[in-house]
């Protein structure tokens, strides 16, 4: 008989309320990565434009950041915009590129207050100037914080990241700074955007899709994967806690010693 988790069910119109599930606070994953999927479908189901789903999804980001920070997660990596997302309709892309500005206008003071450090991974250079400006300011103003690292994947693609790493390494070999024999996993990792971060322990993807979509292909080699049918705008602290609870129980099975 499978164990039921009624605390994950949110009743219609119920205000998000938190029901603890007995997490082991000494075994919180250090790095959680999330593919925040289903925002467009969430909106469509309500007869709303896709951008309304993105906006609602942004509010959920704030909620989950607060929660992860309180639990003592060290790194939270959020897939906000992929290199493929440029193919979406222009108005949707424009709206998405305003979200970081919107998010930081309303939330940067709380991030600073909570000792959160904002970082990004991805090809930052080609983002619109207003997006870059807001995000750079947040990075700068939080760079000395040593709490949760809030890492946004913005214009991120894992294959592009790895091809870039290969180019950097090849250039070092060409310049005679490196021998081919010296190339190893650690060196490769050191050329990725994530070079300063611990590897993800747990990957969460919402909305029922079960694929990586070019997200952290190298870095997720040893991560546990956790999927839910819930669309990102409906994702709550309870779902996050359930993901961590399942992670802890999987870990215990593989545990040993
Ligand atoms: C975006 C909201 C969450 C659901 C998924 C897609 C839409 C927060 C940010 C953000 C990014 C950088 C930053 C501060 C906030 C964001 C985009 C989309 C492009 F420094 N949410 N969110 N950026 N969505």
């Amino acid at each position: 008989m499978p164990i039921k988790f009624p605390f994950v069910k949110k009743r219609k119109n119920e205000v998000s309320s938190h029901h603890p599930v007995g997490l082991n606070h000494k075994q919180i994953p250090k790095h959680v990565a999330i593919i925040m999927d289903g925002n467009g479908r969430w909106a469509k189901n309500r007869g709303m434009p896709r951008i309304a789903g993105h906006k609602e999804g942004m509010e959920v980001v704030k909620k989950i950041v607060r929660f992860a920070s309180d639990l003592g997660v060290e790194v939270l990596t959020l897939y906000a915009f992929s290199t493929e997302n440029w193919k979406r309709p222009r108005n949707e892309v424009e709206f998405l590129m305003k979200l970081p500005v919107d998010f930081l206008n309303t939330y940067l003071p709380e991030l600073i207050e909570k000792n959160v450090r904002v970082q990004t991974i991805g090809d930052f250079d080609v983002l619109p100037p207003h997006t870059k400006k807001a995000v750079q300011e947040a990075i700068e103003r939080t760079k000395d914080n040593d709490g949760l690292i809030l890492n946004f994947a913005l214009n991120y693609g894992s294959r592009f990241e790895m091809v870039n790493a290969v180019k950097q390494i090849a250039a070092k070999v060409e310049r005679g700074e490196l021998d081919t024999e010296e190339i190893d996993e650690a060196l490769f990792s050191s050329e990725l955007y994530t070079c300063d971060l611990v590897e993800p322990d747990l990957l969460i993807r919402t909305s029922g899709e079960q694929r990586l979509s070019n997200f952290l292909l190298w870095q997720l080699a040893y991560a546990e994967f956790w999927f839910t049918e819930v669309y990102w705008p409906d994702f709550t602290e309870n779902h996050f806690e359930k993901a961590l609870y399942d992670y802890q129980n999987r870990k215990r099975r593989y545990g040993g010693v």
Side-chain angles (χ1 to χ4, degrees), residues 199-212:
E199 286 186 0
D201 303 295
L202 173 64
L203 171 80
I204 296 173
R205 182 168 188 157
T206 58
S207 92
E209 309 300 338
Q210 303 195 357
R211 52 180 177 265
L212 284 182

Side-chain angles (χ1 to χ4, degrees), residues 36 39 54 57-58 61 80 96 99-100 103-104 135 152 154 232:
M36 308 179 287
N39 301 285
H54 298 317
M58 186 186 79
V61 170
L96 284 167
L99 283 183
F103 180 96
L104 294 166
V135 175
F152 286 102
L154 264 185
W232 178 251

Side-chain angles (χ1 to χ4, degrees), residues 36-37 39 53-59 61 78-81 88 95-101 103-104 111 118-120 131 134-136 138-139 150 152-154 232:
M36 308 179 287
D37 200 7
N39 301 285
H54 298 317
K55 179 109 183 150
E56 190 68 18
M58 186 186 79
E59 296 306 319
V61 170
L78 303 176
Y79 207 1
F81 195 88
R88 292 184 178 178
F95 185 86
L96 284 167
M97 285 301 142
K98 283 192 202 122
L99 283 183
V101 182
F103 180 96
L104 294 166
L111 292 176
V118 176
Q119 292 188 350
T120 64
T131 313
V135 175
Q136 257 159 354
I139 293 170
L150 175 55
F152 286 102
L154 264 185
W232 178 251

Side-chain angles (χ1 to χ4, degrees), residues 86-132:
W86 297 109
K87 294 180 199 150
R88 292 184 178 178
R90 201 177 66 197
N91 73 315
E92 188 178 336
V93 171
E94 276 174 15
F95 185 86
L96 284 167
M97 285 301 142
K98 283 192 202 122
L99 283 183
V101 182
D102 195 356
F103 180 96
L104 294 166
N105 275 340
T106 52
Y107 197 51
L108 184 58
E110 187 179 329
L111 292 176
I112 292 169
E113 193 261 323
K114 279 197 149 31
N115 193 27
V116 173
R117 179 170 180 187
V118 176
Q119 292 188 350
T120 64
I121 54 173
D123 187 6
F124 196 76
D125 292 347
V126 301
L127 297 175
H130 62 279
T131 313
K132 281 209 272 196

Side-chain angles (χ1 to χ4, degrees), residues 162-163 165-166 169 183-192 218:
M162 289 194 280
V163 168
V166 171
I169 293 168
I183 300 172
D184 60 6
E185 292 181 13
L187 179 84
F188 187 78
S189 296
S190 77
E191 295 293 345
L192 300 174
W218 171 274

Side-chain angles (χ1 to χ4, degrees), residues 39-40 42-44 46-54 91:
N39 301 285
W42 179 92
K44 198 177 159 232
R46 284 169 170 71
M48 287 149 71
R50 288 174 57 80
I51 58 173
H54 298 317
N91 73 315

Side-chain angles (χ1 to χ4, degrees), residues 19 30 35 40 51-52 62 66 70 72 81 83 126 148 153 160 165 177-178 187 191 199-200 219 243:
H19 309 278
K30 284 186 161 63
I35 303 176
I51 58 173
K62 296 178 186 172
R66 276 184 204 111
D70 291 344
F81 195 88
T83 49
V126 301
L148 173 73
F160 178 83
E177 296 165 16
L178 186 72
L187 179 84
E191 295 293 345
E199 286 186 0
Q219 297 88 337

